[in-house]
Amino acid sequence: MSRRSQRHRSTVLPFSYRDEGVDFELDSFAVDQGNRKALDLKPGQTEIDLASAVSSSDSSGDPDWETITLNGKLRLPEETVQAVFPQDERERPPAKLYVTIRCHETIYRDRGVISEAPTTPGEYDVTLEVPKSTVRGTVELRPYLVRTESRPRDGSNEYANQKNFRVASGTLYYVVVDGPKDDERAAIDGEQVRFSQNAHLPDGNKLYYLDFRNESRPKLWINSDHPRIAEVLQSRGSVGAEARMRDVILDQVSYGVWVQLLVRAGSAVDVEGEVEHEWQEMVLQTFASNLYKTSDVSEATHRLKDDLSDPQTLPHVLQRIDSELQEYIDPREQLIHLMEEGLQI
């Protein structure tokens, strides 16, 4: 059961459960005893990158903090209470609200209790403290509404009747507290947004879009109009069917992205074999030599430029790029892992 998605779980639980029954919103943060700063999140944004905000001011860039305090609101709607509690409990629901704090890298588990029983519909202030000594990388925050008392069965399975059963949850936030080292910095930025709400992104059911409006720093947009796919891509686990599916989706996306980057970088090579932007140089150094089986990167980049600009050689170089990317990405490995998990997603 634990490997299955929230959507599936909500359909097989023997009692009423609201997967998005609690409204959770983070709005500010503070580092140690510093002033509170607004998060200014975009609609639907669930990943919060605080790595640069908590890095030291010296050249090392290492984290320089002891505690991050996150602030926000939790709202329990009346309709959620009516959906998950029987009539006689709705005036004083035997439930508490808390937010789980989890870090996969350090196997850290904690919770911040927001409201003890009875928890009635309304809005609650949220203050969560994340100690540096307990976490690393990305921290997950998710709210839950949980029963605090058991009740006798009345012959109906409509409502949860056991103490500590979760009956509703809310938005899952990912808070990045450690940035990657310089040599691990991604070649391009990535972000999830709803394409339907952004005029500069393509219409339709596109999964992703590689944005070259800023040629010096391309940006990858993932379409969160597909919430199930977006949810899988945000998963941070390393085992289980969801993690395997995430890796397969990322392989599919990365293949299309690398093709575009490689063709654009190869086309941008000038007569002296130079390119203007750092990412173009990185792409050519990564692939050009292997494409032409030579250790001379300069020779390889000239040949790539020539092949991309000649209609006679273009089909052949695209076939060569396809072969090289299959070797580089190795999608077969992730597909096998997914099949071995039994497609239990």
Side-chain angles (χ1 to χ4, degrees):
M1 182 72 78
S2 62
R3 285 179 172 178
R4 299 182 181 183
S5 70
Q6 282 291 323
R7 174 177 295 178
H8 184 54
R9 192 162 71 90
S10 67
T11 66
V12 300
L13 284 173
F15 52 80
S16 180
Y17 184 95
R18 287 295 179 268
D19 203 24
E20 298 294 336
V22 180
D23 298 330
F24 183 31
E25 183 177 346
L26 293 173
D27 54 35
S28 62
F29 75 101
V31 180
D32 297 331
Q33 302 304 314
N35 295 328
R36 188 183 294 192
K37 300 179 181 178
L39 286 171
D40 195 22
L41 302 180
K42 299 175 183 176
Q45 180 180 344
T46 57
E47 182 159 319
I48 303 169
D49 190 349
L50 297 182
S52 59
V54 300
S55 295
S56 64
S57 56
D58 61 30
S59 58
S60 71
D62 291 333
D64 184 21
W65 55 281
E66 295 301 325
T67 302
I68 296 174
T69 303
L70 291 144
N71 304 283
K73 300 286 185 184
L74 267 178
R75 191 176 72 85
L76 178 60
E78 178 72 40
E79 55 264 33
T80 295
V81 171
Q82 294 183 4
V84 300
F85 291 102
Q87 180 71 43
D88 62 311
E89 291 184 337
R90 291 173 188 169
E91 186 174 351
R92 292 175 55 83
K96 61 183 176 182
L97 271 173
Y98 63 73
V99 177
T100 58
I101 305 170
R102 297 180 176 178
C103 178
H104 292 291
E105 284 198 45
T106 59
I107 322 178
Y108 176 68
R109 302 286 187 273
D110 198 2
R111 68 180 61 177
V113 177
I114 309 303
S115 171
E116 296 282 6
T119 295
T120 55
E123 188 172 88
Y124 298 85
D125 291 329
V126 173
T127 300
L128 302 168
E129 291 191 347
V130 180
K132 186 179 73 174
S133 59
T134 60
V135 299
R136 184 170 61 246
T138 300
V139 180
E140 296 181 2
L141 307 175
R142 186 165 201 172
Y144 289 98
L145 180 67
V146 183
R147 282 194 65 93
T148 54
E149 299 175 9
S150 296
R151 64 178 275 129
R153 284 193 175 277
D154 57 3
S156 169
N157 289 328
E158 184 175 358
Y159 303 104
N161 64 348
Q162 295 295 311
K163 180 181 179 181
N164 295 326
F165 272 17
R166 293 172 173 174
V167 292
S169 57
T171 299
L172 171 61
Y173 281 99
Y174 300 91
V175 182
V176 180
V177 297
D178 284 339
K181 302 295 184 185
D182 286 345
D183 57 0
E184 297 174 342
R185 187 167 182 249
I188 59 174
D189 296 325
E191 187 173 335
Q192 290 194 6
V193 296
R194 299 189 66 174
F195 284 20
S196 61
Q197 297 181 0
N198 289 273
H200 67 280
L201 296 174
D203 295 331
N205 293 321
K206 305 293 188 300
L207 174 59
Y208 66 92
Y209 177 70
L210 190 55
D211 189 347
F212 285 95
R213 287 179 301 167
N214 179 3
E215 188 73 27
S216 66
R217 189 69 178 170
K219 184 160 186 171
L220 175 64
W221 301 96
I222 299 292
N223 190 358
S224 59
D225 283 328
H226 313 304
R228 187 65 188 102
I229 295 175
E231 181 184 349
V232 169
L233 287 176
Q234 289 180 336
S235 67
R236 291 297 188 272
S238 58
V239 297
E242 190 158 279
R244 301 307 185 197
M245 180 61 80
R246 175 202 59 205
D247 293 341
V248 168
I249 297 173
L250 288 175
D251 280 352
Q252 181 180 359
V253 172
S254 65
Y255 182 92
V257 169
W258 280 121
V259 168
Q260 292 186 62
L261 293 174
L262 190 47
V263 170
R264 279 186 174 256
S267 301
V269 176
D270 65 18
V271 294
E272 297 179 348
E274 301 292 334
V275 288
E276 182 178 1
H277 303 298
E278 184 178 352
W279 69 265
Q280 295 168 336
E281 184 177 357
M282 181 277 293
V283 170
L284 294 172
Q285 288 181 345
T286 302
F287 294 106
S289 295
N290 289 339
L291 283 174
Y292 293 96
K293 310 301 181 189
T294 174
S295 59
D296 189 333
V297 177
S298 178
E299 176 195 346
T301 54
H302 277 295
R303 292 178 63 182
L304 177 60
K305 167 75 171 182
D306 292 342
D307 285 346
L308 288 171
S309 58
D310 186 343
Q312 297 296 320
T313 57
L314 181 59
H316 303 290
V317 73
L318 289 178
Q319 188 176 47
R320 195 175 295 135
I321 289 173
D322 174 81
S323 178
E324 176 60 22
L325 288 179
Q326 288 196 50
E327 289 291 327
Y328 182 77
I329 297 173
D330 195 8
R332 178 193 59 178
E333 180 181 2
Q334 301 302 344
L335 282 170
I336 290 174
H337 288 162
L338 179 60
M339 288 186 287
E340 288 176 343
E341 292 286 349
L343 296 171
Q344 299 178 51
I345 194 165

